[in-house]
Amino acid sequence: MINKEMIFINVDLHNRLDVLEFLVNQAFTNHLITDKQTFMTAVLNREKQVPTSVDFNVAIPHGKSHVINEPFITYLSTKISFQWDERGEDLVKHIFLIGVPENGGNKIHLKYISQVSKKLMDEAFRQKLFACKDAEAAFKQLNEINEGIKN
Amino acid sequence: MKIVGVTACTTGIAHTYMAQEAIEKECQKRGYEVIIETQGGMGIENELNEEEIASADAVILAISIGIEGDERFDEKREEGKVLTLDPSVVIKNVSNVIDQLENL
């Protein structure tokens, strides 16, 4: 679902492709995906349909593919906000990359990711998460959502 | 005012639930009754029944794919009470979307 190794705070990257390549590489290193190119293509195809920037400096790029073992979500914040897609004006600073297996995968993991998505609509939660200075603190915020599901 | 609706997106993992949350929050803020069905990665949740749909003043379909049970809204459609939009539009401009529902 989410682990500390897949959270990156204040990264010095300035465009969508660099951010996605960085995260896809990390996902591969952490054994979340079995093939980088296939997943990258799925994510970029989704962006082509409609850019996944939503508002409040957030984007949720995602891809569904057979190269994904279990549903996962990663979080990366950049040092400065940047234009997510040339077709829109959305500035993005907080990126949540989501991967889902072709067949959907573990329902509890899916539930967790949907809960994180919902939480991002909550301004108080965003303020707390976006104020985190390091991966440890951000992980704590994001993992609290996890506890809520288990109980 | 009573609003019902369905949210669904292609991957069924993020936008479906963000749109649900956005609509529910804005309706609660305005003191409206609201029920939103989600058709996503975890199947159909909060499924709307005929009675709930019939008693609604307006229907919002925040969908980017075809949905199960679309015919349930045919009657409301004939009355001009159904607004269909992409989930990302609803997430970004929810206040404006609820304004539109009020004026159907």
Side-chain angles (χ1 to χ4, degrees):
Chain A
M1 313 192 198
I2 192 142
N3 60 50
K4 239 172 284 180
E5 288 68 41
M6 288 303 294
I7 298 175
F8 309 92
I9 307 294
N10 279 329
V11 181
D12 199 7
L13 292 172
H14 314 100
N15 70 68
R16 179 169 61 184
L17 197 60
D18 287 350
V19 167
L20 293 177
E21 270 176 1
F22 177 88
L23 285 172
V24 168
N25 275 325
Q26 292 290 341
F28 184 73
T29 309
N30 283 284
H31 311 292
L32 297 171
I33 56 174
T34 54
D35 183 74
K36 287 191 266 194
Q37 200 49 52
T38 308
F39 181 49
M40 189 71 180
T41 305
V43 172
L44 290 177
N45 281 343
R46 174 63 183 81
E47 291 295 328
K48 248 183 248 167
Q49 289 169 13
V50 186
T52 58
S53 53
V54 279
D55 215 341
F56 25 82
N57 294 128
V58 170
I60 307 179
H62 50 269
K64 209 172 188 179
S65 167
H66 64 277
V67 301
I68 298 162
N69 300 319
E70 280 300 341
F72 68 86
I73 182 165
T74 67
Y75 169 44
L76 180 147
S77 69
T78 55
K79 278 196 174 139
I80 51 163
S81 55
F82 63 91
Q83 191 184 340
W84 183 249
D85 188 280
E86 66 270 15
R87 287 167 289 175
E89 288 165 2
D90 289 346
L91 289 176
V92 164
K93 197 176 182 300
H94 304 276
I95 298 106
F96 298 82
L97 175 67
I98 295 169
V100 179
E102 199 63 61
N103 64 359
N106 184 308
K107 289 275 186 284
I108 294 173
H109 293 199
L110 288 176
K111 180 95 190 158
Y112 172 72
I113 296 169
S114 70
Q115 289 297 324
V116 174
S117 308
K118 277 192 190 187
K119 275 281 194 183
L120 290 173
M121 303 302 293
D122 176 354
E123 199 186 338
F125 176 79
R126 284 200 305 272
Q127 275 178 3
K128 268 198 282 180
L129 178 62
F130 296 170
C132 290
K133 295 269 187 288
D134 53 44
E136 184 84 30
F139 174 73
K140 222 175 135 194
Q141 290 293 331
L142 288 165
N143 204 41
E144 263 176 35
I145 302 171
N146 221 351
E147 297 301 316
I149 297 170
K150 278 183 204 153
N151 294 335
Chain B
M1 178 128 177
K2 180 175 177 179
I3 291 171
V4 301
V6 179
T7 62
C9 59
T10 40
T11 322
I13 194 71
H15 288 72
T16 300
Y17 304 98
M18 293 175 100
Q20 174 197 22
E21 187 74 4
I23 297 164
E24 286 178 354
K25 270 206 153 99
E26 183 66 24
C27 285
Q28 278 152 12
K29 207 165 96 187
R30 297 187 190 203
Y32 296 164
E33 205 183 323
V34 60
I35 310 171
I36 301 297
E37 171 181 311
T38 52
Q39 296 193 11
M42 289 162 299
I44 298 177
E45 292 178 296
N46 247 359
E47 188 167 3
L48 291 165
N49 62 39
E50 274 177 35
E51 202 178 307
E52 287 164 337
I53 295 168
S55 64
D57 299 300
V59 178
I60 170 78
L61 301 180
I63 55 177
S64 55
I65 48 166
I67 55 166
E68 299 277 330
D70 186 60
E71 70 286 349
R72 287 175 293 170
F73 305 103
D74 283 349
E75 207 166 303
K76 290 286 170 190
R77 231 175 238 125
E78 276 165 33
E79 295 168 15
K81 296 289 182 191
V82 178
L83 181 64
T84 305
L85 291 166
D86 192 89
S88 59
V89 174
V90 175
I91 295 166
K92 283 184 193 175
N93 307 301
V94 70
S95 163
N96 180 272
V97 168
I98 305 296
D99 286 348
Q100 286 183 55
L101 287 173
E102 283 175 9
N103 295 319
L104 283 181

